[in-house]
Amino acid sequence: MSRPSIAVIDLDALRANYRLACELSRQGGVQGQTLAVVKANAYGHGALEVARALEPLAPALGVACCDEALALREAGITAPLVLLEGIFSADEIELCAHHDFWPMVGEASQVEGIAQARPRSPLRVWLKVDTGMHRLGILPEEFPHLHRLLAECPHVVNPVVVATHFASADELDNDYTSLQIERLKALAAGHPLSMANSPALLAWPQSRGHWNRPGFMLYGSSPFTAPHPQADRLRPVMHFKSRVMAVREIAAGEAVGYGETWRARRTSRIATIPVGYGDGYPRTAANGTPVLVNGHIAPLAGRVSMDLITVDVTDIGPVAVGDEVELWGPGLTVNLVAAHAATSPYELLTRIPARLKRVYQSAIST
Ligand SMILES: *Cc1c(COP(=O)(O)O)cnc(C)c1O
């Protein structure tokens, strides 16, 4: 048997989640299109495989930058690719035009660079406005001038999509999202708009526009901390699993792992699993973080090592070498593990390293 720690990626669940995003995009007034965001190696799921699975369904895919887009193009992905972080230098403008990359630009200098460029093919551009995130985006007062500059370029395809990004759409009782929506709608009425990320698409119907931009929800976890009727329809895509490698009994008073951070209060059975922070299991996961062993919840006992974790299986019946372990997936949400690791589920998924083998599964051929 080879090392049993793997991430099984359920491409049927991925497609079902994308279809839910499309269903939400089509509700309400506008017939919104749904960009499938696959940046950061598709939030750790493998950008190429995810792009291949979604390309037949999605009118365009979203990545962070030209390098991510080029890697997908060179591997044969032909869908338009939106560059969510825009461009970093003038030479990327020609690349965008040539490869059908659509940069989302949010700095006056980028807009001016595009206006001065003369790419050999027409260029699609999204113009990002800062409505309150204060990270990227042109200022509202710059909008009329910079929008006109783009729209009047002979090489820019009209209409230009006007976008913004939300600071707090995952907070369902925080009205800042409404304020950001109102600001963009007041500024850019009549233009095609793109606002919604995953939490907004799920929970803020007024944010839906001509293009919606879900990422995280495609991978099947809820962006919210509380239950939500739409988010509860998502199906987890990643099943991060392993098998028990060793089981030992230790006496009361003995400690487990680096730094002796967990100490047995009774005679305890400890199962050792060959997975660690080198595989993307968070080192910050505290003692007591739930791990599923044979379908039963058992608490993490001792510090997460690079290649191993240890779990207290005293209370879950017989456990033997080779038994099934789930770190997160259909039986245990990544959100719960993230809460025990003092981080966000976005980070846990995105940090899955190349070392962890990903296995792609689909029962449906498309
Ligand atoms: C990453 C990103 C998204 C997707 O956000 P999720 O919360 O993962 O849905 C949307 N828009 C922009 C600009 C992004 O950078």
Side-chain angles (χ1 to χ4, degrees):
M1 186 179 81
S2 62
R3 192 165 183 266
S5 299
I6 58 171
V8 178
I9 308 295
D10 180 347
L11 297 174
D12 299 328
L14 175 77
R15 285 184 282 253
N17 297 333
Y18 179 74
R19 288 196 184 94
L20 172 60
C22 293
E23 180 192 316
L24 297 170
S25 295
R26 283 190 228 101
Q27 280 175 5
V30 269
Q31 287 290 305
Q33 308 226 64
T34 309
L35 182 75
V37 178
V38 302
K39 65 184 175 186
N41 201 26
Y43 295 55
H45 293 68
L48 181 57
E49 291 81 357
V50 166
R52 279 192 185 128
L54 293 179
E55 191 175 36
L57 310 177
L61 307 174
V63 294
C65 57
C66 242
D67 289 340
E68 288 186 350
L70 279 173
L72 291 179
R73 267 294 170 276
E74 282 160 12
I77 298 297
T78 57
L81 298 169
V82 176
L83 310 186
L84 295 167
E85 249 183 19
I87 48 173
F88 287 87
S89 57
D91 55 316
E92 291 187 341
I93 297 169
E94 179 63 43
L95 273 178
C96 287
H98 178 73
H99 287 290
D100 204 17
F101 300 162
W102 306 352
M104 181 153 112
V105 294
E107 289 294 304
S109 59
Q110 297 180 341
V111 174
E112 284 150 9
I114 287 173
Q116 281 155 20
R118 287 293 172 265
R120 277 166 286 174
S121 326
L123 181 70
R124 281 182 195 270
V125 181
W126 290 18
L127 181 59
K128 183 175 189 173
V129 182
D130 181 1
T131 57
M133 181 86 162
H134 303 321
R135 200 178 60 171
L136 286 177
I138 62 163
L139 303 177
E141 52 269 33
E142 296 176 306
F143 175 75
H145 162 67
L146 293 176
H147 182 273
R148 195 174 328 109
L149 195 59
L150 281 178
E152 289 175 357
C153 284
H155 52 280
V156 169
V157 179
N158 275 298
V160 170
V161 173
V162 181
T164 198
H165 196 56
F166 296 124
S168 304
D170 59 324
E171 296 174 18
L172 299 174
D173 52 0
N174 186 341
D175 241 11
Y176 200 57
T177 305
S178 304
L179 177 71
Q180 289 193 267
I181 295 169
E182 280 160 27
R183 283 179 176 164
L184 193 73
K185 287 187 175 170
L187 196 67
H191 297 279
L193 301 181
S194 174
M195 294 181 269
N197 55 1
S198 295
L201 185 58
L202 288 160
W204 296 88
Q206 327 85 291
S207 75
R208 295 172 193 153
H210 292 74
W211 279 98
N212 301 306
R213 311 189 305 269
F216 186 65
M217 69 175 281
L218 304 179
Y219 308 99
S221 301
S222 173
F224 310 114
T225 47
H228 182 275
Q230 297 299 351
D232 293 347
R233 296 169 64 194
L234 295 167
R235 287 166 52 187
V237 172
M238 184 185 293
H239 184 181
F240 184 9
K241 62 182 194 175
S242 187
R243 289 182 184 279
V244 173
M245 186 180 182
V247 186
R248 74 204 54 234
E249 191 169 284
I250 63 166
E254 290 292 311
V256 175
Y258 286 122
E260 305 149 70
T261 65
W262 186 90
R263 199 166 290 279
R265 272 186 262 133
R266 53 180 176 173
T267 305
S268 301
R269 271 184 310 137
I270 300 296
T272 303
I273 324 295
V275 71
Y277 62 81
D279 304 292
Y281 192 82
R283 187 173 179 279
T284 51
N287 282 326
T289 302
V291 177
L292 274 190
V293 181
N294 290 330
H296 300 289
I297 288 193
L300 190 71
R303 198 174 277 164
V304 173
S305 312
M306 186 186 291
D307 311 315
L308 297 166
I309 60 171
T310 36
V311 180
D312 176 8
V313 295
T314 314
D315 290 329
I316 62 161
V319 170
V321 170
D323 284 358
E324 290 253 0
V325 175
E326 176 172 325
L327 289 319
W328 59 70
L332 181 66
T333 66
V334 65
N335 302 51
L336 188 60
V337 179
H340 283 266
T343 184
S344 91
Y346 281 65
E347 185 183 13
L348 290 194
L349 294 178
T350 305
R351 286 173 69 112
I352 293 288
R355 161 163 133 174
L356 191 72
K357 192 156 113 200
R358 292 162 176 82
V359 177
Y360 294 88
Q361 276 185 357
S362 170
I364 308 161
S365 57
T366 49

